[in-house]
mmCIF file of all heavy atoms in Angstrom:
data_model
loop_
_atom_site.group_PDB
_atom_site.id
_atom_site.type_symbol
_atom_site.label_atom_id
_atom_site.label_comp_id
_atom_site.label_asym_id
_atom_site.label_seq_id
_atom_site.Cartn_x
_atom_site.Cartn_y
_atom_site.Cartn_z
ATOM 1 N N LYS A 9 34.397 17.302 34.075
ATOM 2 C CA LYS A 9 34.361 18.744 33.796
ATOM 3 C C LYS A 9 33.067 19.137 33.089
ATOM 4 O O LYS A 9 32.479 20.183 33.387
ATOM 5 C CB LYS A 9 35.575 19.149 32.966
ATOM 6 C CG LYS A 9 36.881 19.116 33.743
ATOM 7 C CD LYS A 9 36.820 20.028 34.972
ATOM 8 C CE LYS A 9 38.054 19.971 35.809
ATOM 9 N NZ LYS A 9 37.973 20.824 37.023
ATOM 10 N N ILE A 10 32.614 18.323 32.155
ATOM 11 C CA ILE A 10 31.338 18.616 31.497
ATOM 12 C C ILE A 10 30.195 18.488 32.496
ATOM 13 O O ILE A 10 29.263 19.305 32.508
ATOM 14 C CB ILE A 10 31.133 17.689 30.286
ATOM 15 C CG1 ILE A 10 32.187 17.983 29.207
ATOM 16 C CG2 ILE A 10 29.723 17.858 29.712
ATOM 17 C CD1 ILE A 10 32.114 17.079 27.997
ATOM 18 N N SER A 11 30.280 17.491 33.362
ATOM 19 C CA SER A 11 29.256 17.300 34.389
ATOM 20 C C SER A 11 29.160 18.501 35.322
ATOM 21 O O SER A 11 28.064 18.923 35.712
ATOM 22 C CB SER A 11 29.561 16.040 35.198
ATOM 23 O OG SER A 11 28.682 15.910 36.290
ATOM 24 N N GLN A 12 30.308 19.068 35.684
ATOM 25 C CA GLN A 12 30.318 20.231 36.573
ATOM 26 C C GLN A 12 29.615 21.429 35.945
ATOM 27 O O GLN A 12 28.976 22.231 36.641
ATOM 28 C CB GLN A 12 31.757 20.596 36.930
ATOM 29 C CG GLN A 12 32.437 19.609 37.859
ATOM 30 C CD GLN A 12 33.920 19.869 38.018
ATOM 31 O OE1 GLN A 12 34.432 20.916 37.586
ATOM 32 N NE2 GLN A 12 34.653 18.936 38.617
ATOM 33 N N VAL A 13 29.695 21.543 34.624
ATOM 34 C CA VAL A 13 29.083 22.673 33.918
ATOM 35 C C VAL A 13 27.602 22.436 33.649
ATOM 36 O O VAL A 13 26.771 23.332 33.813
ATOM 37 C CB VAL A 13 29.830 22.945 32.590
ATOM 38 C CG1 VAL A 13 29.088 23.968 31.739
ATOM 39 C CG2 VAL A 13 31.250 23.433 32.880
ATOM 40 N N THR A 14 27.256 21.212 33.259
ATOM 41 C CA THR A 14 25.886 20.920 32.824
ATOM 42 C C THR A 14 24.996 20.335 33.920
ATOM 43 O O THR A 14 23.771 20.381 33.816
ATOM 44 C CB THR A 14 25.898 19.923 31.661
ATOM 45 O OG1 THR A 14 26.464 18.668 32.116
ATOM 46 C CG2 THR A 14 26.726 20.460 30.500
ATOM 47 N N GLY A 15 25.625 19.748 34.952
ATOM 48 C CA GLY A 15 24.846 19.076 35.988
ATOM 49 C C GLY A 15 24.459 17.653 35.629
ATOM 50 O O GLY A 15 23.784 16.971 36.407
ATOM 51 N N ASP A 16 24.876 17.168 34.468
ATOM 52 C CA ASP A 16 24.577 15.799 34.057
ATOM 53 C C ASP A 16 25.432 14.805 34.843
ATOM 54 O O ASP A 16 26.580 15.087 35.170
ATOM 55 C CB ASP A 16 24.847 15.619 32.558
ATOM 56 C CG ASP A 16 23.959 16.501 31.705
ATOM 57 O OD1 ASP A 16 22.804 16.737 32.094
ATOM 58 O OD2 ASP A 16 24.439 16.976 30.648
ATOM 59 N N TYR A 17 24.880 13.650 35.143
ATOM 60 C CA TYR A 17 25.630 12.653 35.906
ATOM 61 C C TYR A 17 26.473 11.800 34.970
ATOM 62 O O TYR A 17 26.168 11.654 33.788
ATOM 63 C CB TYR A 17 24.700 11.780 36.738
ATOM 64 C CG TYR A 17 23.806 10.846 35.954
ATOM 65 C CD1 TYR A 17 24.178 9.523 35.710
ATOM 66 C CD2 TYR A 17 22.571 11.282 35.462
ATOM 67 C CE1 TYR A 17 23.355 8.666 35.002
ATOM 68 C CE2 TYR A 17 21.739 10.437 34.754
ATOM 69 C CZ TYR A 17 22.137 9.133 34.533
ATOM 70 O OH TYR A 17 21.324 8.290 33.815
ATOM 71 N N ILE A 18 27.572 11.278 35.500
ATOM 72 C CA ILE A 18 28.490 10.477 34.691
ATOM 73 C C ILE A 18 28.295 8.991 34.995
ATOM 74 O O ILE A 18 27.958 8.602 36.113
ATOM 75 C CB ILE A 18 29.955 10.897 34.896
ATOM 76 C CG1 ILE A 18 30.435 10.595 36.304
ATOM 77 C CG2 ILE A 18 30.139 12.380 34.565
ATOM 78 C CD1 ILE A 18 31.921 10.873 36.504
ATOM 79 N N LEU A 19 28.510 8.185 33.968
ATOM 80 C CA LEU A 19 28.281 6.749 34.075
ATOM 81 C C LEU A 19 29.431 6.013 33.389
ATOM 82 O O LEU A 19 29.612 6.146 32.175
ATOM 83 C CB LEU A 19 26.950 6.401 33.400
ATOM 84 C CG LEU A 19 26.481 4.953 33.446
ATOM 85 C CD1 LEU A 19 26.251 4.489 34.881
ATOM 86 C CD2 LEU A 19 25.195 4.810 32.628
ATOM 87 N N PRO A 20 30.227 5.242 34.139
ATOM 88 C CA PRO A 20 31.349 4.532 33.516
ATOM 89 C C PRO A 20 30.895 3.316 32.718
ATOM 90 O O PRO A 20 30.108 2.493 33.203
ATOM 91 C CB PRO A 20 32.203 4.111 34.724
ATOM 92 C CG PRO A 20 31.262 4.070 35.874
ATOM 93 C CD PRO A 20 30.209 5.097 35.611
ATOM 94 N N LEU A 21 31.381 3.205 31.500
ATOM 95 C CA LEU A 21 31.069 2.052 30.663
ATOM 96 C C LEU A 21 31.513 0.762 31.329
ATOM 97 O O LEU A 21 30.852 -0.276 31.185
ATOM 98 C CB LEU A 21 31.751 2.218 29.300
ATOM 99 C CG LEU A 21 31.606 1.061 28.313
ATOM 100 C CD1 LEU A 21 30.144 0.832 27.935
ATOM 101 C CD2 LEU A 21 32.447 1.307 27.069
ATOM 102 N N LYS A 22 32.605 0.826 32.060
ATOM 103 C CA LYS A 22 33.112 -0.369 32.744
ATOM 104 C C LYS A 22 32.064 -0.984 33.664
ATOM 105 O O LYS A 22 31.916 -2.208 33.730
ATOM 106 C CB LYS A 22 34.371 -0.015 33.536
ATOM 107 C CG LYS A 22 34.982 -1.187 34.294
ATOM 108 C CD LYS A 22 36.363 -0.851 34.800
ATOM 109 C CE LYS A 22 36.359 0.233 35.835
ATOM 110 N NZ LYS A 22 37.723 0.456 36.388
ATOM 111 N N LYS A 23 31.335 -0.151 34.364
ATOM 112 C CA LYS A 23 30.278 -0.628 35.263
ATOM 113 C C LYS A 23 29.181 -1.347 34.475
ATOM 114 O O LYS A 23 28.717 -2.431 34.871
ATOM 115 C CB LYS A 23 29.693 0.545 36.041
ATOM 116 C CG LYS A 23 28.462 0.212 36.887
ATOM 117 C CD LYS A 23 27.929 1.463 37.578
ATOM 118 C CE LYS A 23 26.609 1.199 38.281
ATOM 119 N NZ LYS A 23 26.772 0.266 39.417
ATOM 120 N N LEU A 24 28.789 -0.757 33.349
ATOM 121 C CA LEU A 24 27.728 -1.364 32.542
ATOM 122 C C LEU A 24 28.164 -2.710 31.985
ATOM 123 O O LEU A 24 27.385 -3.662 31.958
ATOM 124 C CB LEU A 24 27.354 -0.427 31.393
ATOM 125 C CG LEU A 24 26.858 0.972 31.781
ATOM 126 C CD1 LEU A 24 26.501 1.765 30.531
ATOM 127 C CD2 LEU A 24 25.664 0.891 32.724
ATOM 128 N N VAL A 25 29.410 -2.792 31.524
ATOM 129 C CA VAL A 25 29.920 -4.041 30.951
ATOM 130 C C VAL A 25 30.012 -5.122 32.014
ATOM 131 O O VAL A 25 29.571 -6.257 31.812
ATOM 132 C CB VAL A 25 31.288 -3.805 30.290
ATOM 133 C CG1 VAL A 25 31.942 -5.122 29.890
ATOM 134 C CG2 VAL A 25 31.130 -2.905 29.067
ATOM 135 N N ARG A 26 30.568 -4.763 33.160
ATOM 136 C CA ARG A 26 30.735 -5.752 34.228
ATOM 137 C C ARG A 26 29.397 -6.257 34.755
ATOM 138 O O ARG A 26 29.242 -7.442 35.065
ATOM 139 C CB ARG A 26 31.542 -5.147 35.377
ATOM 140 C CG ARG A 26 33.030 -5.093 35.110
ATOM 141 C CD ARG A 26 33.746 -4.491 36.291
ATOM 142 N NE ARG A 26 35.167 -4.768 36.257
ATOM 143 C CZ ARG A 26 36.039 -4.299 37.138
ATOM 144 N NH1 ARG A 26 35.615 -3.506 38.105
ATOM 145 N NH2 ARG A 26 37.312 -4.596 37.041
ATOM 146 N N GLU A 27 28.421 -5.359 34.867
ATOM 147 C CA GLU A 27 27.114 -5.718 35.425
ATOM 148 C C GLU A 27 26.115 -6.122 34.354
ATOM 149 O O GLU A 27 24.951 -6.383 34.649
ATOM 150 C CB GLU A 27 26.577 -4.560 36.260
ATOM 151 C CG GLU A 27 27.466 -4.215 37.444
ATOM 152 C CD GLU A 27 26.926 -3.072 38.281
ATOM 153 O OE1 GLU A 27 25.767 -2.650 38.063
ATOM 154 O OE2 GLU A 27 27.673 -2.599 39.164
ATOM 155 N N LYS A 28 26.577 -6.166 33.110
ATOM 156 C CA LYS A 28 25.749 -6.578 31.972
ATOM 157 C C LYS A 28 24.457 -5.763 31.889
ATOM 158 O O LYS A 28 23.358 -6.295 31.731
ATOM 159 C CB LYS A 28 25.452 -8.085 32.053
ATOM 160 C CG LYS A 28 26.694 -8.954 31.892
ATOM 161 C CD LYS A 28 26.364 -10.431 31.968
ATOM 162 C CE LYS A 28 27.565 -11.294 31.601
ATOM 163 N NZ LYS A 28 28.760 -11.020 32.411
ATOM 164 N N ILE A 29 24.619 -4.452 31.997
ATOM 165 C CA ILE A 29 23.487 -3.528 31.851
ATOM 166 C C ILE A 29 23.523 -2.978 30.428
ATOM 167 O O ILE A 29 24.418 -2.218 30.065
ATOM 168 C CB ILE A 29 23.590 -2.370 32.871
ATOM 169 C CG1 ILE A 29 23.589 -2.917 34.292
ATOM 170 C CG2 ILE A 29 22.449 -1.371 32.672
ATOM 171 C CD1 ILE A 29 23.896 -1.869 35.352
ATOM 172 N N PHE A 30 22.549 -3.373 29.634
ATOM 173 C CA PHE A 30 22.573 -3.004 28.218
ATOM 174 C C PHE A 30 21.444 -2.058 27.813
ATOM 175 O O PHE A 30 21.417 -1.586 26.685
ATOM 176 C CB PHE A 30 22.525 -4.264 27.344
ATOM 177 C CG PHE A 30 23.763 -5.106 27.461
ATOM 178 C CD1 PHE A 30 23.766 -6.255 28.236
ATOM 179 C CD2 PHE A 30 24.932 -4.740 26.816
ATOM 180 C CE1 PHE A 30 24.912 -7.027 28.354
ATOM 181 C CE2 PHE A 30 26.085 -5.502 26.921
ATOM 182 C CZ PHE A 30 26.078 -6.655 27.703
ATOM 183 N N GLN A 31 20.527 -1.794 28.720
ATOM 184 C CA GLN A 31 19.434 -0.865 28.410
ATOM 185 C C GLN A 31 19.574 0.395 29.246
ATOM 186 O O GLN A 31 19.664 0.338 30.469
ATOM 187 C CB GLN A 31 18.073 -1.515 28.677
ATOM 188 C CG GLN A 31 16.894 -0.598 28.344
ATOM 189 C CD GLN A 31 15.560 -1.320 28.387
ATOM 190 O OE1 GLN A 31 15.358 -2.293 27.666
ATOM 191 N NE2 GLN A 31 14.650 -0.849 29.227
ATOM 192 N N LEU A 32 19.621 1.530 28.567
ATOM 193 C CA LEU A 32 19.733 2.815 29.236
ATOM 194 C C LEU A 32 18.570 3.696 28.827
ATOM 195 O O LEU A 32 18.215 3.767 27.651
ATOM 196 C CB LEU A 32 21.045 3.509 28.868
ATOM 197 C CG LEU A 32 22.347 2.814 29.287
ATOM 198 C CD1 LEU A 32 23.548 3.618 28.791
ATOM 199 C CD2 LEU A 32 22.411 2.638 30.789
ATOM 200 N N THR A 33 17.963 4.372 29.808
ATOM 201 C CA THR A 33 16.854 5.274 29.545
ATOM 202 C C THR A 33 17.299 6.714 29.768
ATOM 203 O O THR A 33 17.816 7.048 30.838
ATOM 204 C CB THR A 33 15.656 4.957 30.460
ATOM 205 O OG1 THR A 33 15.220 3.609 30.206
ATOM 206 C CG2 THR A 33 14.503 5.914 30.189
ATOM 207 N N ILE A 34 17.109 7.533 28.757
ATOM 208 C CA ILE A 34 17.471 8.942 28.834
ATOM 209 C C ILE A 34 16.162 9.727 28.930
ATOM 210 O O ILE A 34 15.334 9.695 28.006
ATOM 211 C CB ILE A 34 18.297 9.382 27.601
ATOM 212 C CG1 ILE A 34 19.620 8.589 27.553
ATOM 213 C CG2 ILE A 34 18.604 10.869 27.666
ATOM 214 C CD1 ILE A 34 19.542 7.268 26.833
ATOM 215 N N LYS A 35 15.976 10.417 30.024
ATOM 216 C CA LYS A 35 14.710 11.094 30.291
ATOM 217 C C LYS A 35 14.520 12.318 29.400
ATOM 218 O O LYS A 35 15.482 12.875 28.863
ATOM 219 C CB LYS A 35 14.638 11.489 31.763
ATOM 220 C CG LYS A 35 14.664 10.305 32.726
ATOM 221 C CD LYS A 35 14.611 10.765 34.173
ATOM 222 C CE LYS A 35 14.649 9.571 35.125
ATOM 223 N NZ LYS A 35 14.628 9.994 36.547
ATOM 224 N N ASP A 36 13.272 12.725 29.259
ATOM 225 C CA ASP A 36 12.950 13.899 28.450
ATOM 226 C C ASP A 36 13.713 15.121 28.968
ATOM 227 O O ASP A 36 13.734 15.384 30.174
ATOM 228 C CB ASP A 36 11.445 14.165 28.504
ATOM 229 C CG ASP A 36 11.023 15.268 27.546
ATOM 230 O OD1 ASP A 36 11.725 15.482 26.541
ATOM 231 O OD2 ASP A 36 10.005 15.928 27.814
ATOM 232 N N GLY A 37 14.365 15.826 28.069
ATOM 233 C CA GLY A 37 15.126 17.013 28.435
ATOM 234 C C GLY A 37 16.558 16.741 28.841
ATOM 235 O O GLY A 37 17.337 17.678 29.044
ATOM 236 N N GLU A 38 16.921 15.483 28.955
ATOM 237 C CA GLU A 38 18.262 15.120 29.428
ATOM 238 C C GLU A 38 19.260 15.076 28.269
ATOM 239 O O GLU A 38 18.941 14.606 27.175
ATOM 240 C CB GLU A 38 18.200 13.761 30.121
ATOM 241 C CG GLU A 38 19.500 13.296 30.761
ATOM 242 C CD GLU A 38 19.357 11.950 31.453
ATOM 243 O OE1 GLU A 38 18.227 11.438 31.555
ATOM 244 O OE2 GLU A 38 20.387 11.415 31.885
ATOM 245 N N ASN A 39 20.475 15.547 28.511
ATOM 246 C CA ASN A 39 21.554 15.398 27.544
ATOM 247 C C ASN A 39 22.031 13.950 27.526
ATOM 248 O O ASN A 39 21.939 13.236 28.535
ATOM 249 C CB ASN A 39 22.744 16.294 27.898
ATOM 250 C CG ASN A 39 22.427 17.767 27.790
ATOM 251 O OD1 ASN A 39 21.569 18.176 27.021
ATOM 252 N ND2 ASN A 39 23.128 18.581 28.574
ATOM 253 N N PHE A 40 22.582 13.534 26.400
ATOM 254 C CA PHE A 40 23.237 12.226 26.319
ATOM 255 C C PHE A 40 24.594 12.424 25.659
ATOM 256 O O PHE A 40 24.691 12.713 24.465
ATOM 257 C CB PHE A 40 22.409 11.228 25.519
ATOM 258 C CG PHE A 40 23.073 9.881 25.370
ATOM 259 C CD1 PHE A 40 23.333 9.097 26.489
ATOM 260 C CD2 PHE A 40 23.473 9.408 24.131
ATOM 261 C CE1 PHE A 40 23.954 7.851 26.367
ATOM 262 C CE2 PHE A 40 24.089 8.177 24.000
ATOM 263 C CZ PHE A 40 24.331 7.397 25.122
ATOM 264 N N GLY A 41 25.654 12.314 26.460
ATOM 265 C CA GLY A 41 27.009 12.469 25.958
ATOM 266 C C GLY A 41 27.782 11.173 26.043
ATOM 267 O O GLY A 41 27.570 10.373 26.969
ATOM 268 N N VAL A 42 28.666 10.940 25.094
ATOM 269 C CA VAL A 42 29.546 9.769 25.086
ATOM 270 C C VAL A 42 30.977 10.272 24.946
ATOM 271 O O VAL A 42 31.280 11.069 24.049
ATOM 272 C CB VAL A 42 29.204 8.812 23.927
ATOM 273 C CG1 VAL A 42 30.156 7.611 23.939
ATOM 274 C CG2 VAL A 42 27.756 8.350 24.013
ATOM 275 N N ILE A 43 31.847 9.825 25.846
ATOM 276 C CA ILE A 43 33.243 10.270 25.845
ATOM 277 C C ILE A 43 34.147 9.043 25.766
ATOM 278 O O ILE A 43 34.133 8.204 26.673
ATOM 279 C CB ILE A 43 33.552 11.103 27.098
ATOM 280 C CG1 ILE A 43 32.606 12.306 27.165
ATOM 281 C CG2 ILE A 43 35.006 11.566 27.094
ATOM 282 C CD1 ILE A 43 32.693 13.078 28.448
ATOM 283 N N MET A 44 34.913 8.948 24.686
ATOM 284 C CA MET A 44 35.728 7.765 24.431
ATOM 285 C C MET A 44 37.137 8.143 23.996
ATOM 286 O O MET A 44 37.345 9.158 23.312
ATOM 287 C CB MET A 44 35.088 6.906 23.322
ATOM 288 C CG MET A 44 33.786 6.250 23.703
ATOM 289 S SD MET A 44 34.025 4.894 24.876
ATOM 290 C CE MET A 44 32.582 5.130 25.927
ATOM 291 N N PRO A 45 38.122 7.314 24.342
ATOM 292 C CA PRO A 45 39.486 7.525 23.834
ATOM 293 C C PRO A 45 39.619 7.002 22.410
ATOM 294 O O PRO A 45 38.847 6.132 21.981
ATOM 295 C CB PRO A 45 40.340 6.689 24.800
ATOM 296 C CG PRO A 45 39.423 5.568 25.202
ATOM 297 C CD PRO A 45 38.039 6.172 25.264
ATOM 298 N N THR A 46 40.575 7.530 21.679
ATOM 299 C CA THR A 46 40.852 7.061 20.319
ATOM 300 C C THR A 46 41.818 5.890 20.381
ATOM 301 O O THR A 46 42.931 6.016 20.903
ATOM 302 C CB THR A 46 41.460 8.192 19.469
ATOM 303 O OG1 THR A 46 40.551 9.293 19.446
ATOM 304 C CG2 THR A 46 41.719 7.718 18.039
#
């Protein structure tokens, strides 16, 4: 829903953990949001 409003792309943490991707680059002007359950 946030992506639909802002146009930002979504990235599942599960994918990063499984593929062992630990470096993320956030481009100039880009939002960085984190959405987690309690």
Side-chain angles (χ1 to χ4, degrees):
K9 289 302 177 182
I10 295 177
S11 173
Q12 289 171 11
V13 171
T14 63
D16 297 326
Y17 68 94
I18 66 174
L19 183 62
L21 176 62
K22 180 168 66 175
K23 173 182 173 66
L24 301 181
V25 171
R26 282 180 163 176
E27 298 181 10
K28 294 180 171 56
I29 300 171
F30 293 102
Q31 181 170 301
L32 297 178
T33 299
I34 298 87
K35 297 179 180 179
D36 187 26
E38 184 179 353
N39 294 332
F40 178 63
V42 179
I43 302 172
M44 292 288 142
T46 302

